[in-house]
Amino acid sequence: MRPKTKRRNRAVVDYFCLGSEMVISKKYAMYCLFILVVVAMLDQADKWALPSLQSAGLQCVSCIVNDSFYDNCLEMCLDFSDTQMGVLTGPAMSIMTVIFALPLGWLADRYSRTRILTVGLCIWSTATFLSAYINKFWELAALRVLLGLGAATVNPTTASLVVDYFSEEYQSLVLSILVSMVFLGVDIGLISAVISQNFGWRIVYTVLGGFGIGMAPIVGLTVWDPYIKREINAKTEQKKNYSVLEVIKHIFKEKYMIMVFISCAIRFTGGYSLGVWMQVFYRRVFGLTPTQITAWLAVIIPVCGMSGAYTGGFLADYLHKKIRGGKAILVTISCFLGLLTSIPAFLYPDYKLSFAFLALSFFTAEMWNGPALSIVCDQAKPGMVSSVTAIFYSIGSIGSVGPFILGFLIEQFKIIPPFHHANNAGYDPTYPMLIMVSGNYFLSFVGFCVASILMNNSTTETFCGYLTDYRNLPKNS
């Protein structure tokens, strides 16, 4: 007999409850993955629109005299320094993630993850929409903090939902698909630069915010939480609730997990720095227009970044079957190859060769995220996944100080860029980017080397098989 449930969820329930057996159909799992992918992409688009708009009319020092839209740029721009832009693109947004990611993960392990995600989506989309009407630094800073609060719900909810929808053998791949949405989100941010160049940067925030507000009811009404559904069947084993302290003690009891988290924070620092400042780099060093930069990066970021993420997920799952520390080894190789290809991307005097090496860097360096998150999820007991994922991204958010430090270094080095002019106070970011991007790739490479060695010597069993394989639950007697 089918369990009773609320009427609005009946269409969704049919996918999960067939007779007395708990079933997550492939069709519905793929639908939920699609919706969560769209939400993750929108999250990244709202975050990364600002770095694109910075070089496309929002920041006055990025207006270049020779550009055809120079006069319009001066009319629309705001007089923010590089350090202020570093604050807006880094700490102002991510401080809320650092503070609230773990409490939100704790809540997500106890209450409906889809409802938490829906509320967060409404908050950050509203903040994005209101960003179209600001005129002062503190106004945008306050809205970026609010955006960070709403976006803090994304990672602990979406990642743990995806883990629950798919079995262990596909875990690294589906997580790689999810985290790769950062590249499509950045791509939307790049397109926003072209829109800003022609219509102004305020229209970008209006469109992005409005779309997110419209997505909220779709998420809330059509995506079902497998943990909630498990509890409908009274004879199905219930998950245990863990305190935050219990989760922290469990996840950090292994030395290699400590090294994994430290290395992830360092790697995120390099990634944040590159993502925020690469458009400014090509604008100031090579004098390219926002449209030219978008034409290159709109291909490089999604194609190379996503293919790298999927390749990393596939290879990590393969290596994991052969070697206990296979996932950590893959992440180590990714950081090393990213280091080797990032250096010439910053130093080559020809912008086409620079973009070519940047493409190689994105492909190799972005293999790391899905497998690294999978390592963390593998250690989580049932009922811990959201909290553990929150810890992962909360520590990763420490890397958001990278853009701030990079902006500060740019102003301290005061290197005159090739396309400097009297009305442009912007400085060359080349050497600060070598320090913050390539330098952090090197440090994370060393950290993951140590983690992979420690992981191979560990005898602790993982919990991922029990956690994810819901489709093989036994029938009730």
Side-chain angles (χ1 to χ4, degrees):
M1 182 175 180
R2 188 168 296 167
K4 295 181 179 180
T5 185
K6 294 180 180 179
R7 184 176 182 82
R8 71 179 182 86
N9 291 323
R10 186 159 296 171
V12 178
V13 170
D14 288 341
Y15 285 109
F16 287 88
C17 295
L18 301 179
S20 60
E21 184 179 14
M22 295 303 230
V23 176
I24 297 179
S25 73
K26 181 178 179 180
K27 182 178 178 181
Y28 184 71
M30 293 302 295
Y31 167 78
C32 290
L33 176 62
F34 172 75
I35 295 297
L36 295 175
V37 158
V38 172
V39 172
M41 182 173 62
L42 182 62
D43 166 45
Q44 296 300 328
D46 290 351
K47 289 178 179 178
W48 292 100
L50 183 58
S52 299
L53 298 177
Q54 176 184 358
S55 60
L58 190 147
Q59 186 187 21
C60 291
V61 298
S62 293
C63 298
I64 295 180
V65 148
N66 296 330
D67 287 340
S68 59
F69 67 99
Y70 176 71
D71 292 336
N72 290 333
C73 181
L74 289 181
E75 290 178 6
M76 297 183 296
C77 70
L78 301 174
D79 190 19
F80 294 164
S81 68
D82 285 343
T83 301
Q84 287 177 317
M85 291 304 303
V87 171
L88 292 172
T89 54
M93 178 187 66
S94 298
I95 188 172
M96 302 304 286
T97 302
V98 175
I99 295 173
F100 287 101
L102 185 54
L104 287 170
W106 183 86
L107 288 174
D109 278 328
R110 287 156 178 77
Y111 302 99
S112 171
R113 289 169 286 186
T114 55
R115 292 176 183 174
I116 294 172
L117 179 61
T118 302
V119 173
L121 176 57
C122 290
I123 292 174
W124 94 66
S125 296
T126 301
T128 301
F129 184 84
L130 294 177
S131 297
Y133 303 96
I134 63 96
N135 290 295
K136 298 179 181 179
F137 170 76
W138 70 266
E139 294 173 339
L140 186 54
L143 289 174
R144 294 290 285 181
V145 170
L146 189 61
L147 186 154
L149 174 61
T153 63
V154 176
N155 291 322
T157 55
T158 57
S160 61
L161 282 168
V162 166
V163 166
D164 287 349
Y165 286 132
F166 294 89
S167 60
E168 179 186 357
E169 59 182 314
Y170 302 110
Q171 188 179 93
S172 290
L173 180 59
V174 294
L175 285 173
S176 293
I177 292 173
L178 183 66
V179 299
S180 70
M181 287 306 104
V182 64
F183 307 115
L184 287 181
V186 172
D187 220 24
I188 295 174
L190 291 169
I191 295 172
S192 72
V194 179
I195 298 174
S196 174
Q197 184 176 337
N198 293 279
F199 302 102
W201 58 269
R202 297 182 187 274
I203 190 66
V204 173
Y205 281 129
T206 302
V207 173
L208 287 176
F211 182 78
I213 293 171
M215 277 293 299
I218 296 176
V219 176
L221 296 175
T222 67
V223 178
W224 191 248
D225 191 324
Y227 271 145
I228 302 299
K229 182 48 56 189
R230 288 188 73 195
E231 292 172 1
I232 291 177
N233 192 328
K235 295 185 179 181
T236 300
E237 182 178 355
Q238 301 297 308
K239 62 175 182 176
K240 178 182 176 182
N241 289 329
Y242 295 91
S243 68
V244 173
L245 184 59
E246 286 177 318
V247 173
I248 293 175
K249 285 183 177 180
H250 172 75
I251 206 66
F252 288 113
K253 69 180 180 181
E254 291 289 337
K255 293 181 179 179
Y256 72 83
M257 288 303 297
I258 297 175
M259 286 305 306
V260 165
F261 277 104
I262 293 174
S263 302
C264 286
I266 296 172
R267 176 58 183 80
F268 272 118
T269 302
Y272 274 118
S273 300
L274 177 62
V276 169
W277 286 97
M278 62 181 170
Q279 294 167 79
V280 175
F281 168 77
Y282 286 104
R283 182 91 166 119
R284 296 182 186 178
V285 175
F286 297 106
L288 303 179
T289 66
T291 301
Q292 290 175 311
I293 297 171
T294 297
W296 283 89
L297 295 183
V299 175
I300 290 174
I301 293 176
V303 173
C304 298
M306 293 179 68
S307 60
Y310 299 154
T311 301
F314 175 80
L315 291 177
D317 285 334
Y318 174 79
L319 290 174
H320 182 62
K321 297 175 183 178
K322 305 294 182 180
I323 311 170
R324 177 176 174 80
K327 295 178 182 179
I329 292 173
L330 187 281
V331 175
T332 303
I333 295 172
S334 171
C335 292
F336 179 71
L337 294 178
L339 165 66
L340 293 183
T341 51
S342 66
I343 295 174
F346 297 133
L347 295 181
Y348 261 108
D350 181 77
Y351 77 88
K352 293 181 181 179
L353 286 175
S354 175
F355 275 125
F357 278 103
L358 183 69
L360 288 174
S361 182
F362 263 98
F363 176 78
T364 55
E366 297 306 329
M367 293 181 183
W368 83 282
N369 202 332
L373 178 56
S374 184
I375 292 172
V376 174
C377 289
D378 283 350
Q379 307 308 311
K381 294 180 179 180
M384 284 187 179
V385 183
S386 294
S387 296
V388 168
T389 305
I391 294 173
F392 177 83
Y393 282 107
S394 180
I395 291 178
S397 294
I398 297 173
S400 65
V401 301
F404 165 70
I405 297 174
L406 183 48
F408 176 77
L409 290 176
I410 292 171
E411 293 188 339
Q412 296 305 308
F413 280 35
K414 296 183 178 179
I415 301 173
I416 303 300
F419 290 86
H420 180 83
H421 56 82
N423 295 324
N424 185 353
Y427 295 113
D428 189 337
T430 301
Y431 292 105
M433 290 189 75
L434 277 171
I435 295 172
M436 293 302 300
V437 179
S438 302
N440 280 297
Y441 283 1
F442 172 75
L443 293 176
S444 60
F445 159 70
V446 174
F448 282 119
C449 275
V450 176
S452 61
I453 294 172
L454 294 174
M455 191 172 184
N456 277 322
N457 295 330
S458 174
T459 58
T460 302
E461 295 296 327
T462 61
F463 297 88
C464 52
Y466 176 87
L467 178 65
T468 60
D469 202 2
Y470 285 98
R471 293 173 295 177
N472 293 326
L473 287 175
K475 292 184 178 181
N476 296 321
S477 56

